[in-house]
Amino acid sequence: RDQAQFHPRKYLLALLDVFTRNGGRVYEKTRATGLNEGHPCVVETTGGEVRARHVVLATHYPFVDRALLFPRVHPKRSYVVAGPADRLPDGMFISSTEPTRSVRTIPDGDRTLLLVSGEGHPTGQEYDTEERYVNLDRWGAEHFGLATEYRWSTQDGSSVDQLPYVGTIRRGSDDVYTATAFNKWGFTNGTTAAEIIADAIAGRSNEWADLFDVHRVTVTQSAEKFVTENTKVAIHWVRDRALHPQRSSADDLAPGEAGVHREGTRMVAAYRDEAGELHQVSAICTHLACVVAWNPAEKTWDCPCHGSRFDHHGRVIQGPAVQDLERVDP
Ligand code: FES
């Protein structure tokens, strides 16, 4: 009851309109590369420096992690398929059991499409990512007569207690704020985060601020999950070095295949594209040196430790890493 369904792009365009009409300015294709806290703060970008009294790091995962969120934000990928269907649900639904299935409709010109999502898994820890789409296609066809036309995957982080981290990156400082770990509830959690941060900057109290605080102490409720998640990271760090490489060179890679091999002391991630060209990069993640794993559905190198992702040229496309993987000549 009382659901509200938003068209994400139209929603964002309306927000943008309000923002710019009130004097805000948006600079696209401008990457923030550094942050110096102070009065004012200085943000270094690829287009020059920006000075501001307050800065909000809203880069999904904060690109400078001074609140040390990386062991507390656990990245997950999830999958979406969409297309026309014989039957459409009269609302938005999400299953309460595993495997998760979420359904809703989307307007597409004069058609209404069915959107099915689910099949989530921790980033870099699933090797047959194509199968995830197949599972959603099959389920949608069986229950709704779905004929998939579109598919995509997403990534989001969650915290050990399932609540986002919203607030200042340092206790006692009101210069720099962040908001992350929306646990796949970006519309609602993003809006709440915006209200909390706007209130903090304007000096107003907000009843949700303590609950979402970046520095909250929820150890008693979440210690077990924290230990479990970070033990998995440690296991990956050690085991992936010991088990990799599963191949001795890239010579036997067929077009479309990828794998990790060792060249001397170096671990190399190699992908042979459909045209037969070999692309090689270092397999060591530039964040904290875990070994990346191939994601065949997205054709990316994904890190199992904290979810950084790189394209097959080694370019970083998702943090916490901010540096590209080093290229290795074939
Ligand atoms: Fe942290 Fe790769 S994302 S080691």
Side-chain angles (χ1 to χ4, degrees):
R1 277 190 290 276
D2 299 329
Q3 293 182 337
Q5 187 164 320
F6 286 70
H7 187 297
R9 185 163 185 275
K10 289 180 182 171
Y11 177 70
L12 288 176
L13 288 175
L15 281 183
L16 178 66
D17 183 50
V18 173
F19 180 67
T20 49
R21 272 195 285 115
N22 281 278
R25 282 189 271 171
V26 174
Y27 294 88
E28 293 182 283
K29 299 189 170 67
T30 306
R31 183 177 174 187
T33 53
L35 169 66
N36 297 311
E37 293 166 66
H39 300 282
C41 298
V42 179
V43 182
E44 295 157 14
T45 81
T46 50
E49 288 183 353
V50 181
R51 290 165 201 280
R53 170 72 183 85
H54 301 285
V55 172
V56 182
L57 298 171
T59 50
H60 202 195
Y61 192 95
F63 77 97
V64 284
D65 187 12
R66 296 192 186 140
L68 289 183
L69 285 166
F70 73 85
R72 299 189 279 147
V73 177
H74 307 294
K76 257 190 156 184
R77 299 203 61 71
S78 38
Y79 297 79
V80 191
V81 296
D86 298 338
R87 293 172 295 285
L88 295 171
D90 60 349
M92 296 180 286
F93 297 89
I94 187 165
S95 59
S96 58
T97 53
E98 295 287 331
T100 302
R101 295 286 182 263
S102 173
V103 293
R104 57 171 285 179
T105 54
I106 38 173
D108 178 41
D110 52 7
R111 303 189 300 172
T112 301
L113 305 184
L114 173 71
L115 187 150
V116 178
S117 63
E119 292 288 310
H121 62 79
T123 303
Q125 297 181 27
E126 166 63 54
Y127 300 108
D128 195 351
T129 46
E130 283 285 354
E131 193 189 7
R132 301 292 175 145
Y133 287 119
V134 173
N135 292 342
L136 290 181
D137 288 344
R138 194 182 301 133
W139 189 87
E142 190 180 325
H143 294 276
F144 293 92
L146 171 70
T148 296
E149 286 184 4
Y150 304 100
R151 64 180 215 176
W152 65 96
S153 67
T154 68
Q155 179 154 322
D156 203 2
S158 60
S159 63
V160 285
D161 61 5
Q162 308 295 312
L163 289 171
Y165 295 113
V166 180
T168 55
I169 62 168
R170 290 187 201 283
R171 278 182 209 277
S173 156
D174 68 345
D175 299 333
V176 182
Y177 296 81
T178 194
T180 191
F182 290 162
N183 198 20
K184 305 181 192 171
W185 294 90
F187 268 145
T188 45
N189 281 331
T191 305
T192 306
E195 289 183 353
I196 292 171
I197 293 173
D199 281 346
I201 290 173
R204 297 184 295 256
S205 67
N206 184 298
E207 62 178 315
W208 303 110
D210 288 346
L211 186 67
F212 285 47
D213 185 30
V214 175
H215 310 285
R216 64 182 175 264
V217 180
T218 49
V219 173
T220 45
Q221 299 104 309
S222 52
E224 193 184 337
K225 185 152 186 348
F226 179 87
V227 171
T228 307
E229 293 296 336
N230 285 287
T231 303
K232 279 190 219 158
V233 168
I235 290 170
H236 271 291
W237 205 96
V238 175
R239 191 202 62 184
D240 290 353
R241 277 171 168 66
L243 288 188
H244 281 307
Q246 289 136 350
R247 58 179 73 241
S248 54
S249 79
D251 294 347
D252 58 345
L253 285 176
E257 274 189 351
V260 173
H261 64 277
R262 197 182 287 274
E263 285 181 11
T265 56
R266 188 153 63 169
M267 295 187 73
V268 177
Y271 165 60
R272 193 178 298 283
D273 66 24
E274 300 295 343
E277 189 180 348
L278 190 62
H279 305 270
Q280 294 197 146
V281 292
S282 164
I284 303 301
C285 177
T286 54
H287 178 230
L288 287 176
C290 285
V291 179
V292 295
W294 184 242
N295 177 339
E298 309 306 325
K299 306 219 176 323
T300 55
W301 294 106
D302 296 357
C303 182
C305 287
H306 314 104
S308 295
R309 299 179 61 234
F310 307 85
D311 71 11
H312 67 262
H313 298 293
R315 290 181 294 233
V316 65
I317 53 176
Q318 202 131 26
V322 292
Q323 305 291 338
D324 296 344
L325 298 174
E326 191 187 333
R327 301 263 184 120
V328 176
D329 289 333

